[in-house]
Amino acid sequence: MSNDEIAPPLDVSDEWIRTRTGIARRHRIEAGTSTSDLAAAAGRAALESAGVGTADMVLLATSTPDRKCPSTAPEVAWRLGLGEAPALDVNAACSGFIYALALASSHIRSGAHASVLVIGADCYSTIVDPADRSTAVLFGDGAGAMVVRAGEEGEPGSLLATTLGSDGSGGDFAAVAAGGSRLPHGARYEAAGAHHLALNGRQIYLQAIRRMSAATKSVVAAAGWAVDDLEALVAHQANQRILDAVGKRLGLSPGRLVGNIEDVGNTAAASVPLAMADAAERKCVPVGGRTALTAFGAGLTWGAVAATWPAATPVTSPAETRA
């Protein structure tokens, strides 16, 4: 959906949206499609890209599950034919994929599993008020995935260090108030719009810049690098102004900032893997290049991963249709 398609009802323009967000278009699911559909398609593409038919575990980063209960990951694992592999949702909002990568790394380092399928999938069109221009222009739906496996030291794609953090005092800065145990769904909450995502834009802007910058510095140091050693920074694709500010604070040139927010918008937990897949297709980061991944999300949550760029060929797969 281009800006011209969504702008008129919001009384804004393409220029208004681009200037404030850097977004030109975003994708949204059609009626009858859900997060599990996108997650299964992305998971299948990742398994194909990795040249494997299975994984020992599935971690699905999402804050828009198909249902409140149960979690969505087991259904995704079943649809991918992964037998009785353990599967769970990781809800850290837009930081979910980074959290899931850190968990996958820990499981593999402990020897519990040899491979983990990590998926980031979100359909924020299902929780955004289409009449609220502060959120409607930002969010798109999407999914991305990667297979994380045990490897050899020095192998491209190595996960070298991780850092995670949270601050629950800012939990109201980006939240869907109703639908949980505190405010169960009801007509009065829906009438008040409490079942839609509400953002404190100013606080999110300031916190995102601060937290992603600090997390990146921390994880780079843990890997034994200097920030200037980075060949690529893949930050959560929230808003182009945030991405530019993070790059400036870290002293990184625009050429080292990997992103595709112009074409997909803010896809929440899917944004980091989608940006990586786009960069891999364009071959704009050298294999083995020193890379940092970072994200900030509601909760508040944030995190970062230091890695070397993988020797991977992405596979793009359209969302499957359930039989």
Side-chain angles (χ1 to χ4, degrees):
M1 298 186 69
S2 69
N3 288 344
D4 290 334
E5 291 179 81
I6 70 168
L10 298 170
D11 194 27
V12 297
S13 65
D14 171 70
E15 181 184 7
W16 188 93
I17 297 172
R18 286 177 185 263
T19 300
R20 288 161 175 77
T21 70
I23 299 168
R25 61 196 66 83
R26 77 287 295 146
H27 301 77
R28 292 179 178 170
I29 57 170
E30 297 177 339
T33 304
S34 69
T35 294
S36 66
D37 295 315
L38 302 190
R44 183 167 288 110
L47 292 169
E48 181 182 345
S49 173
V52 297
T54 189
D56 297 338
M57 184 181 194
V58 176
L59 296 176
L60 172 58
T62 186
S63 47
T64 58
D66 284 10
R67 296 167 288 190
K68 287 290 181 184
C69 180
S71 61
T72 302
E75 180 177 339
V76 173
W78 169 70
R79 288 167 64 174
L80 292 174
L82 300 183
E84 297 181 350
L88 70 147
D89 290 0
V90 178
N91 184 352
C94 297
S95 303
F97 193 81
I98 298 298
Y99 265 66
L101 271 185
L103 290 172
S105 177
S106 296
H107 274 269
I108 291 171
R109 291 177 188 277
S110 73
H113 301 289
S115 63
V116 181
L117 175 60
V118 182
I119 306 172
D122 269 311
C123 296
Y124 265 50
S125 65
T126 63
I127 61 173
V128 165
D129 181 354
D132 178 7
R133 67 184 185 184
S134 69
T135 56
V137 303
L138 288 172
F139 292 95
D141 302 332
M146 64 175 65
V147 177
V148 182
R149 60 168 174 79
E152 301 296 328
E153 186 175 355
E155 188 176 352
S158 298
L159 301 181
L160 304 176
T162 64
T163 185
L164 302 173
S166 73
D167 179 5
S169 68
D172 289 336
F173 293 166
V176 179
S181 61
R182 179 171 295 175
L183 295 177
H185 268 310
R188 63 192 176 110
Y189 297 130
E190 293 187 8
H195 60 299
H196 286 137
L197 177 69
L199 290 180
N200 182 326
R202 179 62 176 169
Q203 283 293 339
I204 291 297
Y205 178 83
L206 295 174
Q207 289 279 348
I209 296 169
R210 173 189 169 197
R211 301 299 191 180
M212 288 198 288
S213 299
T216 300
K217 290 178 181 179
S218 175
V219 83
V220 164
W225 304 338
V227 171
D228 197 50
D229 293 330
L230 288 177
E231 294 171 76
L233 172 66
V234 185
H236 165 51
Q237 308 290 289
N239 180 307
Q240 189 61 52
R241 291 168 61 196
I242 292 175
L243 299 173
D244 292 343
V246 170
K248 183 176 181 180
R249 181 169 291 196
L250 294 173
L252 295 174
S253 63
R256 287 189 278 179
L257 304 180
V258 173
N260 62 345
I261 189 171
E262 180 179 7
D263 295 321
V264 299
N266 183 339
T267 55
S271 74
V272 168
L274 284 176
M276 291 186 71
D278 179 69
E281 287 181 348
R282 293 186 288 111
K283 294 181 171 55
C284 62
V285 182
V287 172
R290 293 179 174 180
T291 303
L293 317 175
T294 187
F296 169 85
L300 301 171
T301 61
W302 60 87
V305 174
T308 55
W309 194 262
T313 302
V315 175
T316 302
S317 174
E320 65 178 28
T321 301
R322 289 194 65 179

